[in-house]
Amino acid sequence: MLWTQAIAATLEVTKANVARFGDQFPHVSNGDERYSLNDNTDWTDGFWSGILWLSYQYTNNSLFRDAAVNTVDSFRTRMDQQKHLDHHDIGFLYSLSSKAQWMIEQDEDARALTLQAADALMKRWREQMNVFQAWGPKDNPDNGGRIIIDCLMNLPLLFWATDQTGDETYRKAALIHLEQSHKFLVRGDDSSYHTFYFDQETGDALRGGTHQGYRDGSTWTRGQAWGIYGFALAYRLTGKVDYLETSKRMTRYFLERLPEDRVSYWDFDAPVDSETFRDSSATAIAVCGILEMLDHLPEDAPERQPWMESVTASMQSLIDNYSTKGKPDAEGFLKHGSYYVRGGLAPDDYVIWGDYFYLEALMRLENRATGYWYEPQQSEQ
């Protein structure tokens, strides 16, 4: 009942948001508990589409479907115009919009659009370094040799494209980037770098760093959560046990450092006092990743029960202490998400990816949906 009631609260907010947002896309709030909106120009816009598709799957309510299809049409225009696609987050944009429609409805136009998205992501491939460049144009002096841990969540799009077309190019590039991420983004103590730099001419590894974390050597909690989930998905899609073990180790690191209320601060190394920001979105992402990882563990695995108890405690805390349940005029599901603390951008606000992963986590716990990162048959297990 707990998960059902929490899902019901998100559905009420989403119904109201369909009318509030119209053809625009929510991004973050800025201290006013109102989402800033854009015309499908940001890296986060797929999460609104994903919320709509999850809501439709759960309710079969055409209001959610019509709004979700409208977002896919917007993503088709974005692709046709080749606007705001010069980054690695193509998987976030199109896995949760057009690929979701394909998975739910087997819509051929949605499938074709998602394959276009995979091709757009392949334009980010940098063979000299064997990575997908995260940000900026090729040969950019600041970002030309840079990868970020978030990209793990964009790679499933490429595995899907190979499954759909038989073209191994997508999968081969994804596998190589996975190996580079595994080798250079995960540190020896099972913490993670947010970003890593390579020499653009030689491909040599240079150094780890951060963009949104506390400092270069710290562990940004959302990055750690991306790693938990990304390597769990990598195991599903490749069958490589190293990736499952990495997801487990990163999970242990994350859970052991949660505060008493089981919801993470924004960086595990940031000094903690009464003013330190949380990141409810990092905890929601981590929960989804841990649930994905637990799917692959045997029933008698010693970690299964304590980690499931920890996940349940975190979700209970998100519902009781961070959600907007009981506030019908709320625009977000979760309070106290953080976007870019050091930059002063939405450090303690609604963030649309937090809302998406919170809903996905609730539906996973209710065994109703697992998101749109892979199709059921897209597994090596």
Side-chain angles (χ1 to χ4, degrees), residues 33 41 67 78 104 144 161 186 195 236 248 257 290 315 352:
E33 297 189 347
T41 59
R78 184 168 174 171
I104 295 167
V186 184
T195 76
R236 177 180 289 276
K248 289 169 62 177
R257 286 161 177 79
I290 295 167
M315 287 302 294
I352 193 61

Side-chain angles (χ1 to χ4, degrees), residues 1 67 100 107 115 179 201 226 228 248 300 320 336-337 348:
M1 285 294 292
D107 183 278
L115 289 173
E179 279 299 293
E201 294 184 3
W226 293 135
I228 292 168
K248 289 169 62 177
D300 60 352
D320 291 344
H336 305 303
D348 186 34

Side-chain angles (χ1 to χ4, degrees), residues 308-355:
M308 192 65 206
E309 290 174 355
S310 186
V311 160
T312 301
S314 287
M315 287 302 294
Q316 177 80 64
S317 184
L318 286 176
I319 292 168
D320 291 344
N321 306 314
Y322 294 80
S323 80
T324 60
K325 66 174 183 175
K327 295 184 177 180
D329 61 338
E331 291 188 4
F333 304 161
L334 283 184
K335 299 175 288 184
H336 305 303
S338 72
Y339 184 18
Y340 183 16
V341 172
R342 287 189 301 111
L345 179 59
D348 186 34
D349 293 273
Y350 298 153
V351 294
I352 193 61
W353 59 89
D355 287 358

Side-chain angles (χ1 to χ4, degrees), residues 16-26 35 37 48 331 352:
N17 282 344
V18 169
R20 289 186 186 113
F21 299 160
D23 293 334
Q24 294 186 296
F25 291 75
Y35 267 116
L37 303 177
W48 171 233
E331 291 188 4
I352 193 61

Side-chain angles (χ1 to χ4, degrees), residues 90-338:
I90 307 300
F92 281 141
L93 296 176
Y94 287 88
S95 290
L96 302 180
S97 58
S98 57
K99 182 149 73 79
Q101 185 177 11
W102 162 254
M103 290 171 64
I104 295 167
E105 301 185 338
Q106 298 292 286
D107 183 278
E108 287 292 339
D109 289 339
R111 175 182 178 274
L113 177 57
T114 313
L115 289 173
Q116 284 184 274
D119 289 337
L121 180 53
M122 287 299 298
K123 293 178 182 178
R124 309 294 301 168
W125 180 246
R126 305 292 181 253
E127 189 168 359
Q128 185 66 29
M129 296 169 287
N130 284 320
V131 298
F132 286 96
Q133 181 182 328
W135 302 312
K138 188 176 181 180
D139 302 322
N140 180 276
D142 296 320
N143 290 313
R146 195 176 196 180
I147 65 170
I148 65 173
I149 199 166
D150 317 36
C151 192
L152 293 171
M153 299 298 296
N154 293 308
L155 299 178
L157 172 64
L158 301 178
F159 287 92
W160 176 88
T162 288
D163 287 348
Q164 290 292 313
T165 65
D167 185 347
E168 288 289 331
T169 305
Y170 306 103
R171 178 184 168 90
K172 286 179 180 177
L175 287 170
I176 294 169
H177 185 93
L178 266 174
E179 279 299 293
Q180 293 283 74
S181 300
H182 191 245
K183 183 175 181 180
F184 295 108
L185 288 173
V186 184
R187 297 188 286 238
D189 65 351
D190 305 325
S191 66
S192 55
Y193 286 118
H194 178 199
T195 76
F196 201 91
Y197 295 85
F198 297 87
D199 187 291
Q200 295 186 67
E201 294 184 3
T202 66
D204 291 341
L206 296 177
R207 64 179 179 86
T210 195
H211 178 63
Q212 287 163 250
Y214 177 62
R215 59 172 181 256
D216 281 350
S218 71
T219 302
W220 180 52
T221 55
R222 191 156 76 248
Q224 189 78 5
W226 293 135
I228 292 168
Y229 202 171
F231 284 115
L233 290 172
Y235 174 69
R236 177 180 289 276
L237 296 170
T238 69
K240 186 169 181 176
V241 175
D242 283 354
Y243 297 148
L244 180 62
E245 290 302 311
T246 297
S247 181
K248 289 169 62 177
R249 295 198 311 271
M250 295 183 80
T251 292
R252 187 174 293 108
Y253 187 98
F254 192 99
L255 295 180
E256 287 177 351
R257 286 161 177 79
L258 288 179
E260 186 176 356
D261 75 350
R262 311 305 296 168
V263 174
S264 60
Y265 290 99
W266 70 281
D267 191 293
F268 283 125
D269 296 289
V272 174
D273 58 33
S274 61
E275 303 299 316
T276 306
F277 295 113
R278 301 299 183 113
D279 186 4
S280 57
S281 77
T283 298
I285 295 163
V287 166
C288 289
I290 295 167
L291 291 172
E292 170 68 27
M293 178 265 294
L294 289 175
D295 277 349
H296 304 294
L297 298 188
E299 289 298 321
D300 60 352
E303 305 94 343
R304 176 176 285 279
Q305 182 176 346
W307 285 357
M308 192 65 206
E309 290 174 355
S310 186
V311 160
T312 301
S314 287
M315 287 302 294
Q316 177 80 64
S317 184
L318 286 176
I319 292 168
D320 291 344
N321 306 314
Y322 294 80
S323 80
T324 60
K325 66 174 183 175
K327 295 184 177 180
D329 61 338
E331 291 188 4
F333 304 161
L334 283 184
K335 299 175 288 184
H336 305 303
S338 72

